[in-house]
Amino acid sequence: MAPRTRAEALSRDRIVEAAIELLDADGERGLTFKTLTERLATGSGAIYWHVPNKNALLADATASVIAGALTVQDTGSPRDEIRAIALGLFEAIDRHPWLSAQLAVQLSRSPWGSATPRIFESIGRRVSALGVPEATWFTATSALTHYIFGAAGQNAANARVLDGGVDRAEFLHAAANAWEELDSGEFPFMKSIAGQVREHDDREQFLTGVDLILTGITARSPG
Amino acid sequence: MAPRTRAEALSRDRIVEAAIELLDADGERGLTFKTLTERLATGSGAIYWHVPNKNALLADATASVIAGALTVQDTGSPRDEIRAIALGLFEAIDRHPWLSAQLAVQLSRSPWGSATPRIFESIGRRVSALGVPEATWFTATSALTHYIFGAAGQNAANARVLDGGVDRAEFLHAAANAWEELDSGEFPFMKSIAGQVREHDDREQFLTGVDLILTGITARSPG
DNA sequence: ACCTGAACACCGTTCAAGT
DNA sequence: ACCTGAACACCGTTCAAGT
């Protein structure tokens, strides 16, 4: 995390880029005006000349990463494209775990701010191409979008634990064992699925969920 | 927001209760040690005697509200009970909009902390009673859980805008109009669903989504 | 127009001192 | 055992002054 020389002039883009690097390295607490000015070799006032405040910077960082994840090849199969977008977002959140909390916070601040409509648009366009009734488009797109963020967030949270040098198989075993030892009166379900957790593949499991929702969407009027 | 007289002794429960009231009134920025000590007519050190830090306090507040929302009557129909739990969580987030961001933040801090397993257990138990293959339980429960939080969060975010004295019908009209005026090259889908948004009922729309996922879950092996 | 960096208000946490 | 409140370290934001 060595501070860079200030070769080029400061710009909104360079600031956002530096912010993303700091967020990736240390999560949300890694991004402060102190760490940011050190990395950019400048003063806090210089940042404020290009960016109105920290929330706007976080919003920009989020939008920048999401935009990168939403670009998908046209394959002619809306179902495949939805799976590709879902996997792209899943991997973006995997690489930038701070994204999932940020998306939630930003949603609560401005419901239809920059990130949400783009994601809705990208997925919704393919949903509408599935050939299901128009009345179901909004609900279907919501279900897919929320599942993607929720599942990806859960996965990113798990992945963080593994960052601490913990071995993956070891972690899953430990989690499964812990679940199996839960009180059977209070947590019978958690106990029963402990075995499944032990050796599942995150991406495969995630895509199975996407398929489950796609099945629900097309169950009554196949496209 | 008048400070209370300190009639009874301080306790973790009273502190959590006060925290929830402050969060409900002004969101996350409404809860600081200053507002909390004022309301409880005490000093910051007194709080720290009962609670280790602010994060733990937020976790307790979240767990307390979630626990209240998860109690559901046994009806004998797992499908109905899942709908009831979903609606209960939806309404809890509606009443306490800070919940959705909190759940995301806490998930990223400790993946299987107090709130998540209880919700998983409560929904998962009913999913397993649907009569679908055991291999699908975990994915199905994930899909439901994530949809519930995502949709409820979106709704709570919308509701906040309405708190500013804005009329609901007016807001939906404004949103729909804004979407209809989006660039048709960039946002054709958002434009196409603008009409649906204008007069939908939030709860009904939400439950339709739950049904969609339940359909996906049971599509291949009906229970 | 763009940048510096000291100053300000605010916040979570600690701790020596009290009862 | 439980509480007080001053002190500390840190953080986002502002702004007069510089180039």
Side-chain angles (χ1 to χ4, degrees):
Chain A
M1 200 117 23
R4 293 187 181 170
T5 52
R6 192 158 59 75
E8 341 146 56
L10 216 50
S11 70
R12 188 145 175 160
D13 280 351
R14 275 194 64 217
I15 295 170
V16 170
E17 190 191 338
I20 293 173
E21 287 167 13
L22 288 166
L23 288 165
D24 287 348
D26 281 313
E28 203 171 329
R29 19 154 277 150
L31 176 65
T32 69
F33 275 82
K34 188 163 184 295
T35 58
L36 198 54
T37 51
E38 273 167 8
R39 174 166 276 245
L40 291 166
T42 184
S44 58
I47 309 273
Y48 277 94
W49 179 260
H50 296 278
V51 175
N53 55 49
K54 195 183 176 180
N55 283 344
L57 180 54
L58 282 163
D60 277 7
T62 304
S64 164
V65 175
I66 293 291
L70 284 180
T71 50
V72 166
Q73 272 199 341
D74 279 7
T75 65
S77 159
R79 211 184 157 94
D80 287 348
E81 285 172 23
I82 289 171
R83 287 169 54 103
I85 293 166
L87 197 58
L89 289 169
F90 183 88
E91 278 167 352
I93 293 175
D94 197 49
R95 270 193 303 273
H96 314 281
W98 48 271
L99 265 181
S100 62
Q102 258 314 297
L103 285 162
V105 170
Q106 284 177 40
L107 184 66
S108 73
R109 262 200 285 269
S110 74
W112 293 102
S114 60
T116 326
R118 280 172 204 287
I119 296 162
F120 251 71
E121 177 65 35
S122 180
I123 295 178
R125 205 179 297 183
R126 274 86 180 186
V127 166
S128 67
L130 285 170
V132 297
E134 184 161 354
T136 68
W137 290 358
F138 184 70
T139 300
T141 305
S142 292
L144 280 168
T145 308
H146 299 319
Y147 170 75
I148 292 165
F149 287 135
Q154 177 90 46
N155 186 66
N158 291 343
R160 263 198 202 189
V161 177
L162 298 176
D163 265 359
V166 187
D167 178 64
R168 190 195 139 82
E170 215 170 285
F171 168 71
L172 289 178
H173 265 79
N177 289 342
W179 293 5
E180 271 166 356
E181 275 160 33
L182 285 170
D183 181 73
S184 67
E186 209 181 349
F187 291 101
F189 175 72
M190 294 293 279
K191 279 181 80 118
S192 73
I193 59 163
Q196 281 183 53
V197 168
R198 223 181 293 265
E199 315 208 2
H200 79 285
D201 177 84
D202 293 325
R203 271 169 186 69
E204 198 184 325
Q205 164 101 6
F206 169 73
L207 285 174
T208 305
V210 173
D211 285 336
L212 183 154
I213 296 175
L214 284 169
T215 300
I217 293 172
T218 53
R220 269 155 203 171
S221 37
Chain B
M1 200 116 24
R4 292 186 181 172
T5 54
R6 193 157 59 76
E8 342 146 56
L10 216 50
S11 70
R12 187 146 175 160
D13 281 351
R14 275 194 64 217
I15 295 170
V16 171
E17 191 190 336
I20 293 173
E21 289 167 13
L22 288 166
L23 288 164
D24 288 347
D26 282 313
E28 204 171 328
R29 20 154 278 150
L31 176 64
T32 69
F33 275 81
K34 188 162 185 297
T35 59
L36 198 54
T37 51
E38 273 167 9
R39 174 167 276 244
L40 291 166
T42 185
S44 58
I47 310 272
Y48 276 94
W49 180 261
H50 296 278
V51 175
N53 54 51
K54 196 184 176 181
N55 283 346
L57 181 53
L58 283 164
D60 277 7
T62 304
S64 165
V65 174
I66 292 292
L70 285 180
T71 51
V72 166
Q73 272 198 341
D74 279 6
T75 64
S77 159
R79 211 184 157 94
D80 287 349
E81 286 172 23
I82 288 170
R83 289 169 53 103
I85 293 166
L87 198 57
L89 289 169
F90 183 88
E91 278 166 354
I93 292 174
D94 198 48
R95 273 194 302 274
H96 314 281
W98 47 272
L99 266 181
S100 61
Q102 259 312 297
L103 285 162
V105 171
Q106 285 177 39
L107 185 65
S108 73
R109 261 200 287 267
S110 74
W112 293 101
S114 59
T116 326
R118 281 173 203 287
I119 296 162
F120 250 73
E121 177 65 35
S122 181
I123 294 178
R125 207 179 296 183
R126 275 87 180 185
V127 166
S128 68
L130 284 171
V132 296
E134 184 160 353
T136 68
W137 291 357
F138 184 70
T139 300
T141 306
S142 292
L144 280 167
T145 308
H146 299 320
Y147 170 74
I148 292 166
F149 287 136
Q154 176 91 46
N155 186 66
N158 292 342
R160 262 197 203 189
V161 178
L162 298 175
D163 265 359
V166 187
D167 179 63
R168 192 195 136 81
E170 216 170 282
F171 167 71
L172 289 177
H173 265 79
N177 289 342
W179 294 4
E180 271 165 356
E181 276 160 32
L182 285 170
D183 182 72
S184 67
E186 209 181 349
F187 290 101
F189 175 72
M190 295 293 279
K191 280 182 80 118
S192 73
I193 60 162
Q196 281 181 55
V197 168
R198 221 181 295 265
E199 315 207 3
H200 79 285
D201 176 83
D202 292 326
R203 270 168 189 67
E204 199 184 325
Q205 164 102 7
F206 169 73
L207 285 175
T208 305
V210 173
D211 285 336
L212 182 154
I213 295 174
L214 283 169
T215 301
I217 293 172
T218 54
R220 272 159 200 170
S221 37

